[in-house]
């Protein structure tokens, strides 16, 4: 299969290649790197403080009202003791008049916000008279009327408002803070937490602001010195969660419940959290995952009392539409019906809506399958099939479900050598690429031959890593892929979610030292190499299968590329371990490499002829838990002629070399077959293991 522009290389553009007013990155990018999530925690704190302040103010207001009530009550008590005596006393008269003029105005002012907002409390009544001396008697009655109103409405209203809305919201934020405080770094590592945190600071905050400013315009809930995610972050984090669900076959209830068990402080994902997630995924055509969260929302709805912004019928409506778009709506509906135990009335309604929808012709055009690779939308059906298969293998590799055969097999036919065993091809100490290595050899492991893939251990120190991280933190920007914009007018590639920063040798002596070290163990010259590219992957951060070199007939010739030639080799320094997920995988080889901090992964991208080696296609798996930091160093062809001379045989780009037959570990027969098919059909001749 000839791969056209849809399978792109990723030679990354230099910043200087851009014009200054070209829009580069979106503002909303909190979810793309874990480091961006941490500054959101003070924002969470501030919302709690603001809310506490608001509630305190409300309580003071309510207390003032109560004091005033007492004052009026007292007056009434004196009146009732001896009505006529009371009226004869001029001091009483004065006080009574004062209560019904000055004091009443003050009272009205005090409850003004409530009155404004609610409109139900009227402290001046048309049928009553207000202070003139002649109206004394009538005003005594007014007093009692006032008391009634006051007691029944004002206090009750104030308290009701406090308990129902603000206090409920405050508790929600406090709960989040409690979970954060239990284990700060563990909190940030859980992708569900990240979604909820972003939701608290976007959608939920907007809701809060709307409600509170209605009551008290002086309370500010957004502060200039704090960091807020945007709605785009909310969508990004929801999509990242769906990606993780896909790749790691996670079950939704487990994800939602994990927050519960870890935090052990009650159910902390609300109906609204689950519903909103389902709604976002629905809008982005992730129907299967949307359905899972919607069902979870409905399940919670039945159990919970606080369900703001959602109704049962709304959830059910979304469920029925999501069901329709799912591959096999009828089967899914049956199982959903069982899971949910939907009552008859709803079940009939949903069934009706499914059959009604199926009759509408227009809907035939809508996607009937999960949209896994939005970036490949325009490509032909053949490519779509290819990408779907590749996606399947990629995900299986990410889960560690494919091994290279450890059995020995006969390679005589292929390599003219008797026996070879992979993946542990050989471990050794590297001593020959630089004289210094004779003194301090590098522990080396060869993971593959032709294409050659190596791991070098302990080639970057913890101190160097920390230095590079600190240096790059202010510069981290949402990753872009070079060449991408030339096809789509977009600089942000959807298939890569991470943040990157470029560090030149002149930026820091540490960057220069690390670059030099890569040259030492690869043997290549850094004269034409790119600066270090520091990458931090956030929530579900990934990079779909790609080549690091520019494909010959589909990539635009960038000026730097013309001058320095294609990317001959890739070196990835692993600057962190990854708690779960985040492997580097090779989809044509069936090789999975889990990051090991301080080590470097290295491979050759080009054949000795200088043509791209398409078996080097690789990907970064989504980070399931934790934060992944790497540093890329790309070497270019020009200047390496004496180091890696070309050989006599000329290899062209589109020919795949022979690769080993990987072994699927999954027991699912259908999946095993898919994996076998992929590696059998894609490669030419495979070494079958027995
Ligand atoms: O993060 C990884 O494991 C791979 C990164 C990669 O392939 C790239 O940045 O080109
Ligand atoms: Fe890459």
């Amino acid at each position: 299969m000839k791969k056209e522009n849809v399978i792109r290389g990723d030679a990354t553009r230099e910043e200087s290649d851009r014009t200054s007013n070209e829009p580069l990155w979106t503002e909303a990018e909190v979810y793309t790197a874990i480091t961006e999530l941490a500054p959101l925690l003070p924002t969470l704190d501030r919302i709690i403080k603001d809310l506490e302040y608001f509630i305190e103010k409300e309580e003071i207001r309510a207390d003032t009202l109560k004091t005033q009530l007492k004052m009026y009550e007292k007056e009434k008590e004196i009146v009732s003791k001896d009505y006529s005596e009371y009226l004869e006393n001029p001091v009483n008269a004065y006080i009574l008049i004062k209560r019904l003029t000055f004091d009443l105005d003050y009272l009205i002012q005090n409850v003004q916000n409530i009155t404004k907002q609610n409109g139900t409390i009227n402290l001046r009544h048309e049928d009553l008279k207000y202070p003139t001396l002649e109206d004394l008697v009538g005003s005594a009655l007014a007093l009692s009327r006032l008391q009634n109103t006051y007691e029944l409405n004002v206090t009750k209203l104030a308290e009701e408002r406090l308990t129902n809305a603000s206090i409920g919201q405050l508790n929600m934020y406090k709960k989040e803070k409690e979970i954060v405080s239990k284990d700060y770094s563990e909190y940030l590592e859980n992708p569900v937490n990240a979604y909820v945190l972003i939701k608290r600071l976007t959608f939920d905050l907007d809701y809060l602001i709307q409600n509170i400013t209605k009551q008290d315009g002086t309370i500010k809930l957004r502060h200039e010195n704090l960091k807020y995610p945007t709605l785009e972050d909310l969508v990004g984090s929801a999509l990242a969660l769906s990606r993780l669900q896909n790749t790691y076959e996670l079950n939704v209830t487990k994800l939602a419940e994990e927050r519960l068990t870890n935090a052990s402080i009650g159910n902390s994902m609300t109906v609204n959290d689950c519903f909103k997630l389902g709604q976002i995924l629905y809008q982005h055509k992730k129907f299967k995952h949307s359905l899972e969260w919607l069902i979870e929302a409905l399940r919670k709805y039945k159990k919970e009392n606080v369900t703001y912004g959602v109704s049962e019928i709304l959830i059910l409506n979304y469920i029925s539409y999501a069901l329709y778009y799912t591959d096999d709506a009828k089967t899914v509906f049956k199982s959903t019906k069982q899971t949910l135990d939907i009552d008859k009335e709803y079940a009939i309604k949903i069934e009706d809506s499914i059959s009604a929808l199926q009759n509408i012709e227009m809907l035939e055009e809508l996607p009937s399958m999960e949209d896994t690779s939005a970036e490949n939308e325009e490509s032909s059906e053949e490519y779509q099939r290819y990408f779907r298969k590749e996606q399947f293998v990629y995900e299986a590799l990410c889960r560690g479900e494919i091994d290279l055969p450890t059995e020995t097999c006969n390679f005589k036919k292929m390599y003219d050598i008797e026996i070879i065993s992979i993946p542990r091809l050989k471990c050794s100490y590297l001593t020959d690429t630089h004289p210094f290595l004779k003194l301090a050899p590098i522990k080396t492991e060869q993971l593959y031959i032709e294409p050659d893939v190596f791991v070098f251990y302990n080639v970057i120190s913890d101190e160097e890593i920390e230095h590079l991280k600190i240096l790059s933190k202010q510069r981290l920007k949402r990753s872009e892929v070079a060449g991408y914009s030339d096809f789509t007018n977009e600089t942000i590639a959807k298939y890569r979610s991470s943040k990157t920063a470029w560090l030149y040798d002149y930026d820091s002596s540490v960057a220069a030292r690390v670059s030099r070290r890569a040259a030492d163990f690869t043997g290549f010259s850094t004269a034409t190499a790119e600066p270090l590219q520091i990458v931090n992957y956030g929530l579900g951060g990934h990079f779909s299968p790609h080549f690091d070199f520019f494909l010959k007939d589909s990539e635009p010739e960038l000026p730097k590329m013309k001058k320095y030639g294609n990317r001959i080799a890739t070196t990835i320094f692993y600057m962190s371990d990854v708690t779960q997920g985040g492997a580097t995988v090779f989809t044509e080889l069936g090789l999975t490499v889990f990051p090991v901090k301080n080590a470097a992964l290295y491979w050759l991208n080009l054949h000795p002829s200088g043509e791209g080696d398409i078996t080097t296609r690789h990907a970064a798996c989504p980070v399931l838990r934790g934060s992944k930091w790497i540093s890329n160093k790309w070497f270019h062809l020009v200047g390496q002629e004496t180091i890696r001379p070309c050989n006599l045989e000329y290899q062209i780009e589109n020919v795949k070399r022979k690769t080993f037959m990987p072994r699927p570990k999954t027991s699912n027969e259908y999946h095993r077959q898919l994996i076998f098919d992929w590696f059998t059909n894609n490669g030419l001749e495979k070494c079958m293991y027995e």
Side-chain angles (χ1 to χ4, degrees):
M1 176 194 269
K2 187 173 167 294
K3 299 179 185 78
E4 287 173 343
N5 59 358
V6 278
I7 306 176
R8 296 171 197 112
D10 156 51
T12 318
R13 274 195 294 178
E14 300 274 326
E15 309 231 343
S16 56
D17 290 337
R18 302 187 196 110
T19 56
S20 58
N21 56 2
E22 193 181 343
L24 293 181
W25 301 286
T26 56
E27 288 299 311
E29 44 192 46
V30 160
Y31 75 95
T32 52
I34 287 278
T35 48
E36 302 296 324
L37 276 179
L40 296 184
L41 299 178
T43 315
L44 185 70
D45 275 0
R46 185 58 201 257
I47 293 176
I48 291 174
K49 281 204 189 96
D50 286 341
L51 256 178
E52 277 171 345
Y53 171 69
F54 171 73
I55 289 172
E56 202 180 300
K57 258 179 94 175
E58 288 291 287
E59 275 164 0
I60 292 171
R61 208 177 322 193
D63 283 348
T64 318
L65 294 181
K66 278 181 199 156
T67 317
Q68 283 179 308
L69 172 63
K70 279 210 185 86
M71 190 174 79
Y72 283 100
E73 274 174 345
K74 190 145 213 184
E75 212 52 35
K76 198 190 164 196
E77 208 183 310
I78 306 172
V79 178
S80 5
K81 275 205 180 145
D82 193 332
Y83 176 80
S84 45
E85 196 184 296
Y86 178 88
L87 290 179
E88 278 170 12
N89 184 333
V91 178
N92 289 345
Y94 161 74
I95 288 177
L96 184 60
I97 291 164
K98 183 172 172 283
R99 293 283 177 273
L100 301 180
T101 50
F102 181 83
D103 293 340
L104 181 60
D105 283 346
Y106 181 71
L107 179 64
I108 287 171
Q109 235 177 35
N110 256 328
V111 291
Q112 203 172 27
N113 286 321
I114 302 168
T115 319
K116 227 196 282 169
Q117 178 216 343
N118 196 289
T120 56
I121 301 153
N122 191 3
L123 290 174
R124 285 191 185 270
H125 305 270
E126 273 162 26
D127 56 336
L128 292 175
K129 296 211 166 160
Y130 291 88
T132 55
L133 271 174
E134 308 92 72
D135 288 327
L136 275 183
V137 177
S139 62
L141 291 169
L143 196 63
S144 92
R145 176 75 179 269
L146 176 68
Q147 182 203 3
N148 279 344
T149 320
Y150 202 3
E151 208 169 49
L152 287 176
N153 292 343
V154 181
T155 317
K156 202 167 154 228
L157 183 84
E159 270 166 10
E160 220 168 61
R161 211 171 39 164
L162 287 179
T163 43
N164 283 358
S166 324
I167 291 178
Q169 296 274 325
L170 177 62
N171 283 342
M172 190 173 82
Y173 281 94
K174 274 190 169 161
K175 197 176 258 182
E176 210 50 38
K177 201 184 159 195
E178 211 180 316
I179 308 177
V180 178
S181 343
K182 286 227 163 129
D183 189 334
Y184 172 84
S185 47
E186 198 182 289
Y187 177 88
L188 290 180
E189 285 195 350
N190 182 331
V192 185
N193 291 342
Y195 161 75
V196 176
L197 178 65
I198 291 175
K199 180 166 176 283
R200 294 284 175 275
L201 302 182
T202 51
F203 183 81
D204 294 337
L205 178 62
D206 285 344
Y207 182 83
L208 195 60
I209 289 174
Q210 248 184 28
N211 276 301
I212 282 190
T213 41
K214 238 194 256 163
Q215 293 168 29
D216 186 338
T218 64
I219 302 268
K220 220 177 130 191
L221 280 164
R222 278 188 188 273
H223 305 272
E224 265 150 35
N225 55 344
L226 289 175
K227 194 168 175 169
Y228 296 87
T230 64
L231 284 175
E232 201 188 326
D233 285 313
L234 186 66
V235 172
S237 69
L239 293 177
L241 251 181
S242 142
R243 188 180 311 124
L244 291 173
Q245 269 178 269
N246 230 0
T247 312
Y248 300 107
E249 295 177 341
L250 295 174
N251 158 319
V252 163
T253 324
K254 246 198 225 150
L255 277 177
E257 293 306 300
E258 202 175 293
R259 263 172 72 91
L260 184 81
T261 44
N262 271 1
S264 62
I265 48 160
N267 203 337
S268 50
M269 243 181 129
T270 66
V271 175
N272 192 286
D273 293 341
C274 295
F275 173 73
K276 196 78 203 155
L277 193 44
Q279 194 185 32
I280 294 172
L281 296 180
Y282 177 89
Q283 283 156 355
H284 287 80
K285 301 180 192 165
K286 312 278 179 200
F287 301 117
K288 210 175 101 226
H289 293 145
S290 159
L291 199 55
E292 290 176 41
W293 287 108
L294 291 169
I295 288 175
E296 193 56 26
L298 193 60
R299 198 177 277 144
K300 277 175 190 290
Y301 192 92
K302 292 184 170 167
K303 284 193 256 164
E304 274 174 36
N305 311 325
V306 190
T307 54
Y308 78 94
V310 203
S311 71
E312 196 168 11
I313 202 78
L314 187 65
I315 304 176
L316 280 162
N317 255 336
Y318 267 95
I319 288 181
S320 61
Y321 277 85
L323 271 172
Y324 173 74
Y325 291 123
T326 314
D327 264 346
D328 182 2
K330 288 234 160 79
T331 319
V332 182
F333 176 64
K334 264 189 204 139
S335 66
T336 311
K337 207 157 89 173
Q338 276 167 4
T339 336
L340 285 174
D341 190 21
I342 297 177
D343 62 53
K344 265 213 178 100
E345 199 188 327
Y346 280 139
I348 293 167
K349 267 187 205 155
I350 293 178
E351 222 148 11
D352 282 353
S353 72
I354 290 178
S355 23
L357 284 168
Q358 272 161 344
N359 294 331
I360 304 173
E361 256 173 50
M362 193 188 78
L363 288 165
E364 297 291 303
E365 291 162 25
L366 286 164
S368 63
M369 61 157 291
E370 201 69 11
D371 172 33
T372 45
S373 49
E375 63 271 15
N376 295 320
E377 258 160 21
E378 318 102 58
S379 51
S380 73
E381 236 175 72
E382 192 188 357
Y383 287 128
Q384 292 279 5
R385 258 198 308 281
Y386 176 88
F387 287 128
R388 238 175 281 168
K389 281 189 211 159
E390 184 182 55
Q391 182 75 16
F392 179 83
V393 170
Y394 159 54
E395 288 171 5
L397 283 166
C398 289
R399 294 193 294 273
E401 283 177 7
I402 302 179
D403 263 352
L404 283 172
T406 48
E407 293 89 345
T408 54
C409 67
N410 192 345
F411 272 78
K412 202 169 176 67
K413 207 171 64 190
M414 294 165 77
Y415 295 107
D416 209 22
I417 41 175
E418 269 310 319
I419 278 174
I420 211 158
S421 154
I422 45 176
R424 303 276 174 269
L425 285 169
K426 71 177 181 201
C427 291
S428 60
Y429 281 96
L430 184 72
T431 56
D432 53 2
T433 48
H434 191 275
F436 183 72
L437 295 178
K438 297 252 180 311
L439 295 172
I442 291 173
K443 201 172 126 199
T444 310
E445 187 177 2
Q446 184 163 13
L447 301 181
Y448 217 95
I449 53 166
E450 293 186 8
D452 295 342
V453 183
F454 290 91
V455 179
F456 299 107
Y457 291 94
N458 293 318
V459 284
I460 182 166
S461 71
D462 286 346
E463 293 74 27
E464 286 167 337
I465 287 173
E466 277 321 297
H467 182 94
L468 294 180
K469 278 185 186 171
I470 291 168
L471 201 64
S472 60
K473 262 184 188 162
Q474 306 92 27
R475 305 189 193 188
L476 284 173
K477 294 269 190 262
R478 176 89 184 258
S479 305
E480 65 170 35
V481 174
Y484 191 73
S485 56
D486 298 284
F487 294 110
T488 63
N489 290 327
E490 276 181 53
T491 48
I492 306 294
K494 284 184 208 152
Y495 56 83
R496 186 182 193 189
S497 61
S498 59
K499 286 199 169 183
T500 47
W502 291 98
L503 294 183
Y504 290 79
D505 285 359
Y506 56 73
D507 283 328
S508 118
S509 59
V510 174
R513 196 160 75 217
V514 172
S515 293
R516 212 165 43 239
R517 193 158 317 125
D520 292 347
F521 59 71
T522 60
F524 286 124
S525 153
T526 51
T528 53
E530 290 172 54
L532 274 181
Q533 187 194 47
I534 313 291
V535 187
N536 180 218
Y537 294 90
L539 177 69
H542 77 304
F543 195 170
S544 294
H546 65 279
F547 304 112
D548 277 359
F549 59 86
F550 277 101
L551 280 164
K552 210 173 176 192
D553 50 1
S554 60
E555 293 295 340
E557 285 271 345
L558 296 175
K560 284 267 163 67
M561 202 55 69
K562 254 188 191 152
K563 202 164 150 204
Y564 297 144
N566 220 334
R567 280 172 173 167
I568 187 170
T570 297
T571 302
I572 299 177
F573 287 96
Y574 289 121
M575 307 211 296
S576 66
D577 294 309
V578 182
T579 319
Q580 257 180 300
T584 310
V585 297
F586 293 79
T587 46
E588 297 291 325
L589 308 178
L591 177 65
T592 303
V593 185
F594 287 102
V596 174
K597 195 180 177 192
N598 312 107
L601 177 66
Y602 157 78
W603 71 89
L604 291 166
N605 287 307
L606 308 178
H607 290 291
S609 61
E611 295 278 354
D613 185 341
I614 56 178
T615 56
T616 60
R617 196 158 167 86
H618 62 281
C621 297
V623 175
L624 177 55
R625 200 182 290 260
S627 175
K628 180 182 173 188
W629 284 86
I630 61 157
S631 170
N632 282 312
K633 185 80 190 170
W634 285 294
F635 293 98
H636 283 251
L637 197 56
V638 170
Q640 324 291 357
E641 294 79 3
T642 54
I643 301 157
R644 198 206 188 200
C646 32
N647 60 9
L648 292 174
E649 191 190 334
Y650 187 82
Q651 303 91 350
I652 56 166
E653 188 177 83
N654 278 334
V655 168
K656 252 182 223 169
R657 45 164 105 238
K658 295 163 186 171
T659 52
F660 306 102
M661 186 65 186
R663 172 211 281 264
K665 281 203 285 194
T666 159
S667 55
N668 181 321
E669 206 30 62
Y670 177 65
H671 289 178
R672 287 172 69 83
Q673 203 47 52
L674 283 179
I675 291 166
F676 275 126
D677 284 353
W678 170 261
F679 287 108
T680 312
N681 296 335
N682 282 342
L684 294 174
E685 196 181 332
K686 304 276 177 180
C687 167
M688 298 293 294
Y689 70 90
E690 253 79 48

